[in-house]
Amino acid sequence: MESQFAALLRRHRTAAGLTQDELSAGSGVSVQAISTLERGTRRYPQLSTVEALAEALHLDPDQTASLAAAASRRGRTDKAKAKPASPASPRQLPFASGDFTGRVREMELLTKHLTTAKGVSVTAITGMGGIGKTTLAIHTAHQLAEHFPDGQLYLDLRGFGIGPPLEPLDALTYLLEDLGETPPADLAAATSRFRTSLASRRLVLLLDNASDKEQIEPLLPGSGGCAVIVTSRRSMAGLAGRQFPLGEPPLEESIEMLRRISERPDAPEDDCAEVVRQCGGLPLAIRMAGARLASRPTWPVAHLAERLADGRRRLDELQLDDSGVRATLVLSIEQLAGSDDPVDVQAVTMFALLGLSDSVELTSALAAALSDSPEPEAAVVLERLVDVHLLTTPSPSRYRLHDLVRVAARELAEQMLTEPDKAAATTRWIKRVSAVVWKASEYAGHGVTREAWLDKEWLDGAQDLAEQEHVLAWLDNERTTLVGTVQRAVADQPGLAVQLAIGLNAYYTSRRAWLEWLQVNEAILRLVSGGPDRVAEGLVLHDLGAAHAELGQYEQAVAPLRQAVDTAEASGDGNLQALCLSSLSHVLERTGRTNDGIPYAERAREIGLRLGIPPRAAWACLALGMLYLKTGMPQSAERHFAEAMQILDEPGLEKYRGMIAQNVGVAYREAGEFEVAGNALRESLILYRTAGASIPQAEVLNELGRLRMAEGRYAEAIAAQSEGLAIAGQHGDWLVEADIRKSLGEVHRAEGKLPEARREWRIALSIHEQHNAHGAAALEQLLRST
């Protein structure tokens, strides 16, 4: 077995950063002798040799005594024999910075846990580099001093930094020496002696910058009344004790911190808040910003905020000498890159690839496409990035990059990835999204024009999503990334951007995501305007106008729809022309220009009949009926409504007739013709039941309820809407549920039952907020007005 002296000598020499040759030169002991001592061939050197080595290694008296004891055949020096050493009472905590600000709640929680726990109390403070783990731990440990009279031990475990992490045996050697103990030469014995030494003591042990729980576990006391604080950038899941993940401090604390460090107590709050925002709330970044302002007293705070706004040089602004945000983040990346674990190495590449995305939230599907790997494998790598706090996970299967970490990821992407690599990664993602989007369109029914425009190869990347619910669930999960994906593709992949945006029609319609639909069409409009593909241009212009209309912005819808009509005519696509004409006539009707709308609807009807496209002709007839009803020509309205139903009078078209009847019923209800409205809505309900269309039944039951409310028949209104609510709940259609609950609330308000009304509106609002659906503002207004 290796001698105790050999292990101690080698450890002290390594810690001092000396080679055997350098130690020989400093001590006068030959290289051969030092080599023999470190190999354990010579176990008991003379005391003069030990003293020469200790002097060259700059050991303190306690370390020298321990080395001499290990060199003695009796295991102790003459000095130790003459006078037993008293137990050491170390006071090793680093300096507590005077500009420490805030973290009051965190310190209270830590102090309470560490002072009230029975036996040994352990807390692991984890978080990304620069979040303030060590600063918080040091201040908390100082605050705990009076509760732990036997002292404070501090050790930097070098888990993230230059060189390898401190081995547990080396860590125990330092800790035992600091306690006045002689360190054994093997890990098990050292752990046992350390725990024995701490069993009768009450002290604070601060283990800073840990690499993982395996490094920590041998260093934990076994019993007694000690408090252990661990800090690490890596998750300490599985370590005994409390996990304390540390996030950004509140804005007011961050502003106070910036003012104190910059020595500007009266700095404008708005300017300070903007600097804090550009720093992402990261305490290290705020400290760097404050120091920069302190060293440049002529700079207004607003000037630094402007400099930080440039994302390309933000990390440069937050760097002082060799310290700063970039240096801190690089340590985390280098620790992964130097690991023997292949997942850690994959995490470095994944981190760079994530820098290619502008998405606020990231998913395993995005990571899988960027890295060209199976999604389960990508999820494992993402979780490893969470473990080292380069990613956060705000909810299951969703991930987020801190603003400054995103900048570092982009820098790493520039260093690691070639331009072809970056282009290939982003192309894979856009094609994957496009495939799923067009799959959703296929389930909904593309429509004549989109069906002809579609290239079937675009669906090849979605074969794994076999059911409509799977497709919609996938898109729901990625919804927050879709607009950003289109906007990014406009610059890098314009053809794919157009393909993706036009395909989003069906999904956004199903989710009533009108604002997002508007944004994607605005993003690609310039790509198709005046180009050779007039069908694409016509579709984009139509969808842009339709999105404005769905948002209630009818005046803004007129111009793009007029352009869409002209473009569709130039394209030669009659179906597209009829679609644009019908939509324009509807918008004109909603703006009160009913007479202007009639010619457009007439042309749409004529085209639909001429081309033999029954749904297009029927919708034009419906539009005409609504226009004539508004202009005071009920016979003409009735005639066109009847024609619309007759055009669709073939077996298998019951659902479409139900849609016509439903719209007719709503039109008559709005016109105050309640009896006719009721007949049309009941007919719609029968047609939907015949067609087996469940959700449309719930929708028409809601419309019946609104009709009965208008008639003052509240009980019948509630009965119809309750039946619709049950159907919506059974089929999981949250949009229809929210609509019905809004209507139910209106019935309760009409009855004078405001608590019941507010309850329904609150539920409806929570549904809209949960799914980011259009309509939340109207519900908020209802709640404010009652």
Side-chain angles (χ1 to χ4, degrees), residues 103 106-107 109-111 113-114 122-129 131-141 144 160 205-210 216 228-237 239-247 387 389:
R103 299 294 194 189
E106 289 87 344
M107 289 185 67
L109 290 173
L110 287 168
T111 301
H113 172 69
L114 292 166
V122 180
T123 294
I125 304 174
T126 60
M128 65 179 290
I131 201 69
K133 302 179 296 296
T134 296
T135 303
L136 175 61
I138 290 170
H139 278 79
T140 301
L144 291 172
F160 294 81
L205 172 60
L206 175 46
L207 300 172
D208 193 20
N209 197 15
I216 291 294
V228 183
I229 306 175
V230 180
T231 74
S232 180
R233 300 186 188 191
R234 189 182 286 269
S235 170
M236 288 285 120
L239 183 70
R242 178 175 181 177
Q243 304 298 305
F244 197 93
L246 191 62
D387 287 341
H389 296 280

Side-chain angles (χ1 to χ4, degrees), residues 436 440 467-477 507 510-511:
V436 183
E467 303 290 338
Q468 183 177 17
E469 61 186 86
H470 299 155
V471 172
L472 293 176
W474 193 97
L475 289 170
D476 286 342
N477 198 46
Y507 172 67
S510 73
R511 294 300 185 246

Side-chain angles (χ1 to χ4, degrees), residues 74-144:
R74 294 184 297 268
R76 54 188 174 87
T77 62
D78 292 338
K79 181 178 178 181
K81 180 179 178 180
K83 184 178 180 181
S86 60
S89 182
R91 297 287 188 272
Q92 298 181 345
L93 291 179
F95 170 70
S97 171
D99 56 24
F100 179 75
T101 305
R103 299 294 194 189
V104 175
R105 178 177 176 274
E106 289 87 344
M107 289 185 67
E108 288 177 352
L109 290 173
L110 287 168
T111 301
K112 181 178 180 180
H113 172 69
L114 292 166
T115 56
T116 60
K118 295 181 180 179
V120 177
S121 57
V122 180
T123 294
I125 304 174
T126 60
M128 65 179 290
I131 201 69
K133 302 179 296 296
T134 296
T135 303
L136 175 61
I138 290 170
H139 278 79
T140 301
H142 276 290
Q143 187 166 291
L144 291 172

Side-chain angles (χ1 to χ4, degrees), residues 53 61 86 92 107 136 157 189 202 239 305 359 373 386 475 488 502 515 537 539 558 574 585 596 657 685 756:
L53 291 170
S86 60
Q92 298 181 345
M107 289 185 67
L136 175 61
L157 296 174
R202 284 185 57 80
L239 183 70
S359 300
S373 60
V386 172
L475 289 170
R488 177 73 178 271
I502 291 177
L515 181 59
E537 183 181 1
L539 285 169
V558 172
S585 70
D596 292 343
R657 293 205 303 279
L685 186 59
E756 289 84 348

Side-chain angles (χ1 to χ4, degrees), residues 336-349 377 380-381 384:
L336 290 171
S339 171
D340 294 330
D341 188 336
V343 176
D344 284 350
V345 178
Q346 291 173 42
V348 176
T349 303
E377 180 180 314
V380 171
V381 179
R384 184 59 51 87

